Amino acid sequence: MLEIRDLKVTIGPFTIVDIERLAVAPGRRLGIVGESGSGKTMTTMSIVGLQPAEAAVTGSIRFNGRELVGLTDRQFSSVRGREIGVIFQDPAKALNPMMRIGRQVSEAIRLHMNVPAEKLRARVVDLLTQVQLADARSLLQRYPHQLSGGQQQRVMIAIAIACDPKLLIADEPTTSLDVTVQNGILELIRDLSASRNMTLLFVTHNLGVIKSISDTIAVIYGGQVVELGPTDQVINAPLHQYTQALVSADPGIADDRDLGAVVNQRLHTIRGSVPSLDKFPSGCRFRGRCVAETAACARSPRTEDVAGHLYRCWNPARSVTGSRGAAGAAGGPGAAGNPGAVDAAR
Protein backbone atom coordinates (compact mmCIF):
# COMPACT_ATOMS: atom_id res chain seq x y z
CA MET A 1 0.00 0.00 0.00
CA LEU A 2 2.74 2.44 1.02
CA GLU A 3 6.48 2.06 0.45
CA ILE A 4 9.12 4.61 1.39
CA ARG A 5 12.66 4.30 0.03
CA ASP A 6 15.69 6.55 0.57
CA LEU A 7 13.49 9.36 1.86
CA LYS A 8 15.27 12.53 2.92
CA VAL A 9 13.59 15.69 4.13
CA THR A 10 16.03 18.58 4.42
CA ILE A 11 15.79 22.22 5.42
CA GLY A 12 18.90 24.06 4.28
CA PRO A 13 21.95 22.00 5.31
CA PHE A 14 20.05 19.95 7.88
CA THR A 15 18.59 16.49 7.27
CA ILE A 16 15.46 16.12 9.35
CA VAL A 17 14.27 12.76 7.99
CA ASP A 18 16.54 10.02 6.65
CA ILE A 19 14.65 6.76 6.09
CA GLU A 20 16.07 4.06 3.85
CA ARG A 21 12.98 1.85 3.74
CA LEU A 22 9.60 1.70 5.45
CA ALA A 23 6.51 -0.07 4.16
CA VAL A 24 3.00 -1.01 5.26
CA ALA A 25 0.79 -3.61 3.58
CA PRO A 26 -2.91 -3.14 2.77
CA GLY A 27 -5.17 -3.44 5.79
CA ARG A 28 -2.28 -3.40 8.28
CA ARG A 29 -1.65 -0.92 11.11
CA LEU A 30 1.83 0.61 11.46
CA GLY A 31 2.67 2.61 14.57
CA ILE A 32 5.41 5.24 14.48
CA VAL A 33 6.75 6.16 17.92
CA GLY A 34 9.44 8.48 19.26
CA GLU A 35 10.00 11.55 21.41
CA SER A 36 8.94 15.01 20.35
CA GLY A 37 11.45 16.27 17.80
CA SER A 38 12.31 12.79 16.52
CA GLY A 39 10.88 13.39 13.03
CA LYS A 40 7.58 11.47 13.25
CA THR A 41 5.27 14.23 12.04
CA MET A 42 7.70 15.46 9.37
CA THR A 43 7.83 11.92 7.97
CA THR A 44 4.07 11.50 7.79
CA MET A 45 3.35 15.02 6.53
CA SER A 46 5.83 14.53 3.68
CA ILE A 47 3.71 11.59 2.53
CA VAL A 48 0.81 13.95 1.74
CA GLY A 49 2.89 16.95 0.69
CA LEU A 50 2.19 18.97 3.84
CA GLN A 51 5.80 19.49 4.91
CA PRO A 52 6.93 23.12 5.43
CA ALA A 53 7.41 25.12 2.22
CA GLU A 54 11.14 25.47 2.90
CA ALA A 55 11.62 21.68 3.24
CA ALA A 56 12.99 19.69 0.29
CA VAL A 57 11.81 16.08 -0.12
CA THR A 58 13.84 13.55 -2.11
CA GLY A 59 13.73 9.79 -2.51
CA SER A 60 10.61 7.76 -3.16
CA ILE A 61 7.17 7.51 -1.54
CA ARG A 62 4.99 5.11 -3.51
CA PHE A 63 1.31 4.84 -2.64
CA ASN A 64 -0.61 2.11 -4.43
CA GLY A 65 2.12 2.14 -7.07
CA ARG A 66 1.96 5.92 -7.61
CA GLU A 67 5.01 8.05 -6.90
CA LEU A 68 4.13 10.93 -4.56
CA VAL A 69 7.49 12.68 -4.33
CA GLY A 70 7.52 15.51 -6.84
CA LEU A 71 3.75 15.96 -7.14
CA THR A 72 2.53 19.54 -7.30
CA ASP A 73 0.07 20.80 -4.70
CA ARG A 74 -2.67 20.61 -7.32
CA GLN A 75 -1.79 16.97 -8.04
CA PHE A 76 -1.72 16.21 -4.31
CA SER A 77 -5.25 17.58 -3.99
CA SER A 78 -6.54 14.49 -5.82
CA VAL A 79 -4.79 12.25 -3.26
CA ARG A 80 -5.36 14.08 0.02
CA GLY A 81 -8.83 13.43 1.34
CA ARG A 82 -9.78 11.06 -1.47
CA GLU A 83 -7.09 8.35 -1.27
CA ILE A 84 -5.36 9.31 1.97
CA GLY A 85 -7.20 10.68 5.00
CA VAL A 86 -5.40 12.60 7.76
CA ILE A 87 -6.36 13.08 11.41
CA PHE A 88 -4.37 15.95 12.89
CA GLN A 89 -3.28 16.08 16.51
CA ASP A 90 -5.01 19.33 17.47
CA PRO A 91 -8.59 19.50 16.15
CA ALA A 92 -9.08 22.99 17.56
CA LYS A 93 -6.41 24.24 15.15
CA ALA A 94 -7.26 21.94 12.25
CA LEU A 95 -10.97 22.81 12.12
CA ASN A 96 -12.03 26.13 10.60
CA PRO A 97 -13.54 28.24 13.43
CA MET A 98 -15.63 30.22 10.91
CA MET A 99 -17.35 27.23 9.27
CA ARG A 100 -20.19 25.14 10.62
CA ILE A 101 -19.51 21.46 11.28
CA GLY A 102 -21.83 20.23 8.53
CA ARG A 103 -20.07 22.29 5.88
CA GLN A 104 -16.61 21.16 6.99
CA VAL A 105 -17.52 17.48 6.88
CA SER A 106 -19.21 17.83 3.48
CA GLU A 107 -16.36 19.80 1.90
CA ALA A 108 -14.21 16.80 0.94
CA ILE A 109 -17.27 14.88 -0.31
CA ARG A 110 -18.27 17.77 -2.57
CA LEU A 111 -14.72 18.08 -3.86
CA HIS A 112 -13.96 14.41 -4.51
CA MET A 113 -17.22 12.49 -4.87
CA ASN A 114 -20.23 12.71 -7.11
CA VAL A 115 -22.90 12.80 -4.39
CA PRO A 116 -26.21 14.49 -5.30
CA ALA A 117 -26.97 17.59 -3.24
CA GLU A 118 -30.15 16.06 -1.84
CA LYS A 119 -28.17 13.10 -0.46
CA LEU A 120 -25.20 15.08 0.86
CA ARG A 121 -26.79 16.04 4.18
CA ALA A 122 -27.81 12.44 4.88
CA ARG A 123 -24.24 11.26 4.17
CA VAL A 124 -22.79 13.84 6.57
CA VAL A 125 -25.23 12.82 9.30
CA ASP A 126 -24.31 9.18 8.70
CA LEU A 127 -20.59 9.97 9.02
CA LEU A 128 -21.11 11.84 12.29
CA THR A 129 -23.15 8.91 13.55
CA GLN A 130 -20.41 6.45 12.54
CA VAL A 131 -17.91 8.35 14.69
CA GLN A 132 -20.34 7.98 17.58
CA LEU A 133 -21.47 11.58 17.93
CA ALA A 134 -24.88 11.76 19.59
CA ASP A 135 -27.67 13.78 17.95
CA ALA A 136 -25.64 14.18 14.76
CA ARG A 137 -28.27 16.34 13.03
CA SER A 138 -28.06 19.06 15.64
CA LEU A 139 -24.27 19.25 15.22
CA LEU A 140 -24.48 20.27 11.57
CA GLN A 141 -25.21 23.91 12.44
CA ARG A 142 -22.71 24.20 15.28
CA TYR A 143 -19.24 25.73 15.17
CA PRO A 144 -16.11 23.95 16.47
CA HIS A 145 -15.89 26.10 19.63
CA GLN A 146 -19.31 24.79 20.66
CA LEU A 147 -17.98 21.22 20.86
CA SER A 148 -15.77 19.55 23.44
CA GLY A 149 -12.23 18.40 22.54
CA GLY A 150 -13.37 14.81 22.15
CA GLN A 151 -16.28 15.85 19.92
CA GLN A 152 -13.96 17.98 17.79
CA GLN A 153 -11.62 15.05 17.27
CA ARG A 154 -14.52 12.82 16.25
CA VAL A 155 -15.50 15.45 13.68
CA MET A 156 -11.90 15.37 12.42
CA ILE A 157 -12.14 11.60 12.06
CA ALA A 158 -15.42 11.96 10.16
CA ILE A 159 -13.72 14.37 7.74
CA ALA A 160 -10.74 12.01 7.34
CA ILE A 161 -12.92 9.00 6.42
CA ALA A 162 -15.55 10.93 4.45
CA CYS A 163 -14.32 9.74 1.03
CA ASP A 164 -13.48 6.16 2.06
CA PRO A 165 -9.68 6.55 1.85
CA LYS A 166 -7.44 3.52 1.47
CA LEU A 167 -4.86 4.91 3.92
CA LEU A 168 -5.57 6.76 7.15
CA ILE A 169 -2.80 8.78 8.80
CA ALA A 170 -3.44 9.62 12.46
CA ASP A 171 -0.88 12.14 13.74
CA GLU A 172 -0.98 11.95 17.55
CA PRO A 173 -4.79 12.21 17.53
CA THR A 174 -5.18 11.80 21.29
CA THR A 175 -2.44 14.15 22.53
CA SER A 176 -4.77 16.95 23.67
CA LEU A 177 -7.42 14.68 25.18
CA ASP A 178 -7.87 13.31 28.69
CA VAL A 179 -7.38 9.59 29.26
CA THR A 180 -11.07 8.62 29.26
CA VAL A 181 -11.77 10.43 25.99
CA GLN A 182 -8.46 9.16 24.58
CA ASN A 183 -9.50 5.52 25.02
CA GLY A 184 -12.76 6.14 23.18
CA ILE A 185 -10.96 7.78 20.25
CA LEU A 186 -8.44 4.93 20.03
CA GLU A 187 -11.18 2.33 20.03
CA LEU A 188 -13.05 4.26 17.33
CA ILE A 189 -9.99 4.52 15.06
CA ARG A 190 -9.19 0.84 15.55
CA ASP A 191 -12.78 -0.21 14.78
CA LEU A 192 -13.09 2.04 11.73
CA SER A 193 -9.77 0.77 10.36
CA ALA A 194 -10.95 -2.83 10.72
CA SER A 195 -14.51 -2.37 9.44
CA ARG A 196 -13.42 -0.33 6.41
CA ASN A 197 -10.23 -2.35 5.80
CA MET A 198 -8.22 0.88 5.87
CA THR A 199 -4.46 0.78 6.15
CA LEU A 200 -3.45 2.80 9.23
CA LEU A 201 -0.36 4.87 9.94
CA PHE A 202 -0.58 5.89 13.60
CA VAL A 203 1.89 8.41 15.05
CA THR A 204 2.40 8.84 18.79
CA HIS A 205 5.00 9.26 21.52
CA ASN A 206 3.03 6.95 23.82
CA LEU A 207 4.04 3.28 23.80
CA GLY A 208 0.91 2.27 25.67
CA VAL A 209 -1.22 3.77 22.90
CA ILE A 210 0.84 2.10 20.17
CA LYS A 211 0.56 -1.26 21.92
CA SER A 212 -3.24 -1.16 21.75
CA ILE A 213 -3.61 -0.19 18.11
CA SER A 214 -0.74 -1.28 15.86
CA ASP A 215 0.43 -4.55 14.28
CA THR A 216 3.95 -3.27 13.68
CA ILE A 217 6.05 -0.56 15.32
CA ALA A 218 8.68 1.70 13.76
CA VAL A 219 10.73 3.51 16.42
CA ILE A 220 12.15 6.79 15.10
CA TYR A 221 14.99 8.81 16.56
CA GLY A 222 16.78 11.69 14.89
CA GLY A 223 14.67 11.20 11.77
CA GLN A 224 15.86 7.60 11.36
CA VAL A 225 14.09 4.30 11.94
CA VAL A 226 16.18 2.67 14.69
CA GLU A 227 13.95 -0.35 15.31
CA LEU A 228 11.14 -2.00 13.36
CA GLY A 229 9.17 -5.14 14.06
CA PRO A 230 5.95 -6.76 15.31
CA THR A 231 4.40 -4.74 18.14
CA ASP A 232 4.69 -7.42 20.84
CA GLN A 233 8.31 -8.18 19.99
CA VAL A 234 9.41 -4.55 19.97
CA ILE A 235 7.70 -3.75 23.28
CA ASN A 236 8.39 -6.99 25.15
CA ALA A 237 11.89 -7.58 23.79
CA PRO A 238 13.32 -4.25 22.55
CA LEU A 239 16.73 -4.51 20.92
CA HIS A 240 17.79 -0.92 20.25
CA GLN A 241 18.96 0.93 23.34
CA TYR A 242 16.61 3.84 22.56
CA THR A 243 13.57 1.55 22.40
CA GLN A 244 14.73 -0.13 25.59
CA ALA A 245 14.93 3.27 27.27
CA LEU A 246 11.44 4.25 26.04
CA VAL A 247 9.95 1.03 27.39
CA SER A 248 11.72 1.39 30.75
CA ALA A 249 10.49 4.98 31.08
CA ASP A 250 6.84 4.05 30.45
CA PRO A 251 4.97 3.01 33.62
CA GLY A 252 2.10 1.74 31.49
CA ILE A 253 4.13 -1.12 30.01
CA ALA A 254 3.64 -3.33 33.05
CA ASP A 255 1.09 -5.88 31.89
CA ASP A 256 1.62 -9.01 33.92
CA ARG A 257 3.50 -7.68 36.90
CA ASP A 258 2.18 -7.16 40.39
CA LEU A 259 0.82 -3.63 40.86
CA GLY A 260 2.74 -3.21 44.10
CA ALA A 261 6.00 -4.02 42.35
CA VAL A 262 5.24 -1.43 39.69
CA VAL A 263 4.45 1.24 42.27
CA ASN A 264 7.60 0.54 44.24
CA GLN A 265 9.91 0.33 41.23
CA ARG A 266 11.99 3.34 40.33
CA LEU A 267 10.82 4.99 37.10
CA HIS A 268 13.68 5.26 34.63
CA THR A 269 14.25 8.39 32.58
CA ILE A 270 16.21 8.99 29.40
CA ARG A 271 19.03 11.38 30.13
CA GLY A 272 19.27 14.57 28.13
CA SER A 273 16.90 15.52 25.32
CA VAL A 274 16.70 15.22 21.54
CA PRO A 275 19.50 17.47 20.18
CA SER A 276 18.88 20.29 17.74
CA LEU A 277 19.55 19.45 14.09
CA ASP A 278 23.08 20.87 14.13
CA LYS A 279 24.04 18.99 17.29
CA PHE A 280 23.48 15.34 16.32
CA PRO A 281 26.68 13.31 16.80
CA SER A 282 28.29 11.27 14.06
CA GLY A 283 27.42 7.58 13.85
CA CYS A 284 24.45 6.57 15.99
CA ARG A 285 22.39 9.68 16.67
CA PHE A 286 21.36 8.35 20.08
CA ARG A 287 24.91 8.12 21.41
CA GLY A 288 25.60 10.72 24.02
CA ARG A 289 22.27 9.88 25.63
CA CYS A 290 22.79 6.12 25.54
CA VAL A 291 23.99 4.32 28.67
CA ALA A 292 25.56 1.54 26.58
CA GLU A 293 27.68 3.78 24.34
CA THR A 294 31.03 2.41 23.19
CA ALA A 295 33.67 3.57 20.71
CA ALA A 296 31.91 1.59 17.96
CA CYS A 297 28.89 3.90 18.23
CA ALA A 298 30.81 6.69 16.49
CA ARG A 299 30.47 4.61 13.31
CA SER A 300 27.21 4.55 11.39
CA PRO A 301 25.33 1.52 12.77
CA ARG A 302 24.23 -1.28 10.47
CA THR A 303 20.89 -3.01 10.75
CA GLU A 304 20.43 -6.52 12.06
CA ASP A 305 17.34 -8.44 10.95
CA VAL A 306 16.26 -11.05 13.48
CA ALA A 307 13.29 -12.87 11.92
CA GLY A 308 11.73 -9.63 10.72
CA HIS A 309 12.65 -7.65 13.85
CA LEU A 310 15.13 -4.99 12.70
CA TYR A 311 17.33 -2.70 14.76
CA ARG A 312 20.29 -0.35 14.17
CA CYS A 313 22.55 -0.63 17.18
CA TRP A 314 26.14 -1.75 17.82
CA ASN A 315 25.30 -2.75 21.39
CA PRO A 316 21.72 -4.06 21.37
CA ALA A 317 19.83 -4.48 24.61
CA ARG A 318 19.49 -7.98 26.04
CA SER A 319 15.76 -7.98 26.72
CA VAL A 320 13.59 -10.58 28.41
CA THR A 321 9.97 -10.99 27.28
CA GLY A 322 7.59 -9.62 29.90
CA SER A 323 10.21 -7.44 31.60
CA ARG A 324 10.95 -3.78 31.14
CA GLY A 325 14.66 -4.33 30.71
CA ALA A 326 15.70 -2.20 33.68
CA ALA A 327 19.29 -3.35 33.44
CA GLY A 328 19.63 -2.21 29.87
CA ALA A 329 17.98 1.13 30.54
CA ALA A 330 20.05 1.77 33.63
CA GLY A 331 23.31 0.69 32.11
CA GLY A 332 23.63 -2.52 34.09
CA PRO A 333 24.98 -5.90 33.05
CA GLY A 334 22.17 -6.51 30.56
CA ALA A 335 22.91 -3.40 28.52
CA ALA A 336 25.02 -4.87 25.73
CA GLY A 337 24.69 -7.73 23.30
CA ASN A 338 26.01 -8.69 19.89
CA PRO A 339 26.61 -5.98 17.27
CA GLY A 340 24.38 -5.70 14.21
CA ALA A 341 25.55 -7.01 10.86
CA VAL A 342 23.29 -6.42 7.85
CA ASP A 343 22.32 -3.12 6.20
CA ALA A 344 18.53 -3.08 5.86
CA ALA A 345 16.70 0.06 7.01
CA ARG A 346 17.81 3.46 8.19
Side-chain angles (χ1 to χ4, degrees), residues 7 19 62 68 74 96 128 167 192 209 265 273 315 343:
L7 175 67
I19 296 178
R62 297 190 69 83
L68 300 183
R74 184 179 182 85
N96 189 329
L128 294 177
L167 172 65
L192 287 171
V209 167
Q265 181 176 346
S273 57
N315 301 297
D343 287 311

Side-chain angles (χ1 to χ4, degrees), residues 93-123:
K93 292 181 179 178
L95 293 172
N96 189 329
M98 304 299 291
M99 289 175 61
R100 298 181 191 274
I101 296 303
R103 184 180 172 191
Q104 296 195 56
V105 177
S106 67
E107 190 172 37
I109 301 172
R110 287 186 281 108
L111 180 65
H112 295 295
M113 304 180 75
N114 185 25
V115 176
E118 63 272 16
K119 294 184 178 181
L120 186 57
R121 179 185 173 89
R123 182 174 176 85

Side-chain angles (χ1 to χ4, degrees), residues 4-5 43 48 86 122 130 133 135 171 179 184 192 197 220 246 264 274 290 328 338 344:
I4 296 172
R5 285 185 178 273
T43 299
V48 287
V86 183
Q130 286 184 49
L133 281 167
D135 198 10
D171 182 17
V179 174
L192 287 171
N197 197 32
I220 289 186
L246 287 177
N264 293 324
V274 180
C290 180
N338 296 321

Side-chain angles (χ1 to χ4, degrees), residues 211 227 230-239 244 247 253-257 306 309 317-326 334:
K211 184 177 182 180
E227 186 159 359
T231 297
D232 287 344
Q233 287 186 33
V234 172
I235 288 181
N236 293 327
L239 295 173
Q244 178 86 321
V247 171
I253 310 298
D255 291 351
D256 299 323
R257 293 182 304 159
V306 182
H309 185 170
R318 186 181 302 157
S319 303
V320 179
T321 301
S323 77
R324 290 172 60 202

Side-chain angles (χ1 to χ4, degrees), residues 189-337:
I189 293 174
R190 186 169 54 244
D191 291 346
L192 287 171
S193 172
S195 64
R196 289 168 170 254
N197 197 32
M198 285 187 299
T199 305
L200 180 64
L201 200 60
F202 194 97
V203 178
T204 185
H205 60 269
N206 189 320
L207 278 173
V209 167
I210 274 293
K211 184 177 182 180
S212 71
I213 204 166
S214 68
D215 305 312
T216 306
I217 293 181
V219 181
I220 289 186
Y221 184 82
Q224 300 176 337
V225 176
V226 297
E227 186 159 359
L228 173 68
T231 297
D232 287 344
Q233 287 186 33
V234 172
I235 288 181
N236 293 327
L239 295 173
H240 194 282
Q241 291 292 340
Y242 177 60
T243 311
Q244 178 86 321
L246 287 177
V247 171
S248 295
D250 192 326
I253 310 298
D255 291 351
D256 299 323
R257 293 182 304 159
D258 178 73
L259 180 60
V262 176
V263 171
N264 293 324
Q265 181 176 346
R266 178 185 175 187
L267 180 65
H268 293 281
T269 59
I270 306 174
R271 66 185 182 187
S273 57
V274 180
S276 58
L277 295 174
D278 59 340
K279 295 293 193 297
F280 277 117
S282 59
C284 176
R285 290 190 168 188
F286 187 56
R287 76 184 185 93
R289 300 182 69 194
C290 180
V291 296
E293 179 183 0
T294 65
C297 301
R299 308 198 310 270
S300 181
R302 295 175 293 178
T303 301
E304 177 78 14
D305 183 349
V306 182
H309 185 170
L310 286 70
Y311 64 95
R312 301 184 74 243
C313 187
W314 288 113
N315 301 297
R318 186 181 302 157
S319 303
V320 179
T321 301
S323 77
R324 290 172 60 202

